Amino acid sequence: MIVLSRIDSRLVHGQVIEAWLPHLKVLRLVVADAEAAQDPLARAAMGMALPPQVKMMVAPAEALDYQALATDSVPTLVLFRDVPAVLAARAHGLPDGDLNVGNVHGGPGREPLSQTVYLSGEEREQLASLEQGGMEVFLQALPSEKKVHLPN
């Protein structure tokens, strides 16, 4: 079962491993990212960082069977690098549910929405569209922080 989908530019890192995995009691981590899927070194490094009870899958967002992930009994966290990857996943069956925007790096055309999330106007519109389509979208870097919903 998918317990949370999260956008995090860093994918697998300390916050995910030390805070989100135990908080959600995750036993499977799915990295939905084409770049990571094609990089054996990145896959190996991410896998070595995980606790032994957490299994990892790495594949492009378009290649995953979200229906199977959502309906089996394994508590699963799905990680995306960016908003377009979530849009691709939705087009390929990612069901409604919680979408946590935890960390999106700053850059040209991006404005801060929190200390860890910088989005372009287009990305904000895309997230609003996902929310209108049935996902609950919120900003939250750590489980101990309050959920912040997107401003209108």
Side-chain angles (χ1 to χ4, degrees), residues 6-10 15 101-106 112-119 139-142 145:
R6 176 178 168 90
I7 298 172
D8 193 320
S9 301
R10 299 173 294 175
Q15 283 181 344
V101 185
N103 188 305
V104 180
H105 296 308
L113 269 68
S114 74
Q115 290 183 339
T116 61
V117 176
Y118 295 76
L119 297 174
L139 310 179
Q140 187 181 27
L142 294 166
E145 296 178 358

Side-chain angles (χ1 to χ4, degrees), residues 23-138:
H23 174 75
L24 298 168
K25 297 177 177 58
V26 165
L27 296 176
R28 178 174 53 210
L29 178 66
V30 175
V31 179
D33 186 72
E35 185 180 327
Q38 294 185 9
D39 185 342
L41 183 59
R43 287 193 318 272
M46 288 186 289
M48 286 190 294
L50 294 177
Q53 73 275 16
V54 177
K55 302 304 175 213
M56 184 179 72
M57 294 174 56
V58 183
E62 302 85 0
L64 290 161
D65 184 348
Y66 296 100
Q67 183 65 26
L69 294 170
T71 57
D72 71 15
S73 62
V74 181
T76 301
L77 169 62
V78 181
L79 285 177
F80 299 97
R81 184 184 304 268
D82 52 29
V83 177
V86 179
L87 295 175
R90 282 293 274 185
H92 287 86
L94 179 68
D96 291 347
D98 289 346
L99 177 61
N100 166 263
V101 185
N103 188 305
V104 180
H105 296 308
R110 293 175 182 254
E111 296 180 10
L113 269 68
S114 74
Q115 290 183 339
T116 61
V117 176
Y118 295 76
L119 297 174
S120 69
E122 181 180 9
E123 289 167 323
R124 287 177 68 169
E125 289 174 11
Q126 291 168 335
L127 288 173
S129 172
L130 288 167
E131 196 163 48
Q132 291 168 355
M135 297 196 87
E136 181 182 346
V137 180
F138 56 91

